[in-house]
Amino acid sequence: MQTTARKRGWPLDDVVTFTDPTSMDWEEADQQPEEGAFVHGMYIEGARWDRESGEIRDSFLRDLTPQMPIMHIVAIPRTEVKTEGYHDTPVYYVSQRGGGNPPGSYVFFSTLKTSEPTVKGLYGVYSYKWVLAGVGLLMQVE
C-alpha cells in the first residue's frame, strides 16, 4: 500500500486494500502483476468461492475449508471502494478467530463479490447471509 500511495501521490491514510480473486491456480501464474501482488494459499471458511460465477456461494457438505484461487491484492483510494455486490470478508492467519494467545488473529478485510443483498455499515459493506454463516478467509488451516 505504501509503495502505491507514494507512486501515485495519495495520502496513506486514504488508501485501502482491494482483493480480486482470479481464476488461476498456483501453476498457472507465470508472472507478477504490474500493480499489487498475487497471493496464494488462502482458504475460505463458511462458504466457497465459485470460479465460474466469480462470487461467494454456499459451501458444499464436508468441504469445510476449500482453497481460494490466486488473489490479486491492490491498493486503491478509499473513494474508489466498491460497495454494491461486495462483502467485506475478514482474513485471519489461523482458524481461532478471537481471544487466545496471541489475542486475535485478524489481519485485514478482503472484498469478495456476492449476489446476496448487502448493506453499508460503519466499518464496511456486509451481507447478512455471509456474516451469519461466519464466512472468513484463513491464511493457514491447522
Side-chain angles (χ1 to χ4, degrees), residues 15 33 37 44 50 59 69 84 87 96 109 113 124 126 133 139:
V15 178
I44 188 167
D50 187 357
S59 58
E84 290 296 317
H87 171 70
Q96 183 177 354
F109 278 111
K113 194 178 278 191
Y126 305 101
M139 291 184 168

Side-chain angles (χ1 to χ4, degrees), residues 5-7 11-12 23 28-29 40 97 120 122 130-131 135:
R6 282 186 186 156
K7 180 179 170 184
L12 188 56
S23 59
E28 299 171 29
H40 170 69
R97 297 189 180 193
K120 185 163 177 29
L122 184 60
W130 303 127
V131 170
V135 174

Side-chain angles (χ1 to χ4, degrees), residues 74-86:
V74 294
I76 61 170
R78 188 178 305 276
T79 57
E80 293 181 15
V81 171
K82 298 176 182 177
T83 57
E84 290 296 317
Y86 284 88

Side-chain angles (χ1 to χ4, degrees), residues 26-48:
W26 180 248
E27 301 82 28
E28 299 171 29
D30 55 354
Q31 62 185 16
Q32 283 293 323
E34 291 183 24
E35 287 210 12
F38 284 147
V39 176
H40 170 69
M42 288 194 186
Y43 300 85
I44 188 167
E45 185 177 48
R48 68 179 170 89

Side-chain angles (χ1 to χ4, degrees), residues 45 92-106 138 142:
E45 185 177 48
Y92 303 97
Y93 62 86
V94 293
S95 61
Q96 183 177 354
R97 297 189 180 193
N101 191 11
S105 64
Y106 168 79
L138 306 175
E142 287 91 20

Side-chain angles (χ1 to χ4, degrees), residues 83-87 114 116-120 125-128:
T83 57
E84 290 296 317
Y86 284 88
H87 171 70
T114 181
E116 298 294 327
T118 58
V119 295
K120 185 163 177 29
V125 181
Y126 305 101
S127 170
Y128 289 125

Side-chain angles (χ1 to χ4, degrees), residues 11 22 26 31 56-57 63 68 70-71 77 80 85 87 92 99 107 112 118 134-135 138:
T22 67
W26 180 248
Q31 62 185 16
I56 307 173
R57 294 286 170 96
D63 194 6
M68 291 289 290
I70 290 178
M71 309 269 288
E80 293 181 15
H87 171 70
Y92 303 97
V107 181
L112 298 179
T118 58
V135 174
L138 306 175

